[in-house]
């Protein structure tokens, strides 16, 4: 089990392969990105990791439930940060954004905050966060 992320996780994997290790080499979810594959080359082709489908949305079948949103996210993310910059952590942050964005209106319909001023502050902060996200990570 390699407990690294990205490029740093390639070195122990490659070293194990070079020294003749033949069993499975497991990685955490943060390992797989373009740099890990570039640095590790063929040696990391057998890596076992649980990355999000967001890392390779082009390879998903059209019937996969996350293909559309994954392709959309990677297109906008890489337009903002450059080709090959997609990573699991950005995807996890975007997932959280989508969950809160969907849950907040539903929560406001079912309950009322203890103080109206609290709701206004919360809504203002959420809009500011969403605006920041849209400007920095999701612009096309």
């Amino acid at each position: 089990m390699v407990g690294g992320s990205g490029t740093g996780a390639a070195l122990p994997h490659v070293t194990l392969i070079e020294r003749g290790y033949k069993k499975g080499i497991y990685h955490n979810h943060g390992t797989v990105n373009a740099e890990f594959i570039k640095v590790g080359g063929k040696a990391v082709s057998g890596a076992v990791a649980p990355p999000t489908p967001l890392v390779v949305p082009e390879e998903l079948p059209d019937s996969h439930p996350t293909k559309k949103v994954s392709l959309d996210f990677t297109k906008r993310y890489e337009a903002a940060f450059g080709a090959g910059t997609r990573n699991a952590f950005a995807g996890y942050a975007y997932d959280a954004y989508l969950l809160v964005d969907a849950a907040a209106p539903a929560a406001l319909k079912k309950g009322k905050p203890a103080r109206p001023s609290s709701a206004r502050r919360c809504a203002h902060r959420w809009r500011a966060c969403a605006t920041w996200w849209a400007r920095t990570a999701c612009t096309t």
Side-chain angles (χ1 to χ4, degrees):
M1 171 66 184
V2 178
S5 61
T7 307
L11 183 58
H13 188 113
V14 170
T15 302
L16 285 167
I17 297 298
E18 288 173 348
R19 298 214 163 126
Y21 188 77
K22 302 284 186 205
K23 295 185 180 182
I25 302 173
Y26 297 85
H27 293 266
N28 62 29
H29 62 96
T31 296
V32 183
N33 64 22
E35 286 299 309
F36 171 78
I37 295 166
K38 180 178 155 186
V39 170
K42 289 183 181 181
V44 298
S45 67
V48 179
T52 168
L54 178 82
V55 176
V56 288
E58 299 86 357
E59 297 178 26
L60 298 173
D62 289 339
S63 61
H64 195 281
T66 68
K67 182 170 185 167
K68 183 179 176 182
V69 71
S70 295
L71 284 171
D72 179 58
F73 174 75
T74 55
K75 177 184 171 189
R76 293 186 295 146
Y77 189 86
E78 290 187 348
F81 298 106
T85 58
R86 72 180 75 170
N87 63 79
F89 299 112
Y92 299 151
Y94 187 62
D95 285 348
Y97 164 79
L98 292 175
L99 288 170
V100 173
D101 195 49
L108 288 173
K109 287 179 185 174
K110 292 190 176 203
K112 295 185 180 188
R115 297 183 313 226
S117 61
S118 297
R120 283 192 298 276
R121 277 195 308 275
C122 182
H124 174 73
R125 288 178 182 147
W126 177 245
R127 279 193 296 276
C129 179
T131 301
W132 172 85
W133 176 258
R135 272 197 325 264
T136 59
C138 296
T139 55
T140 57

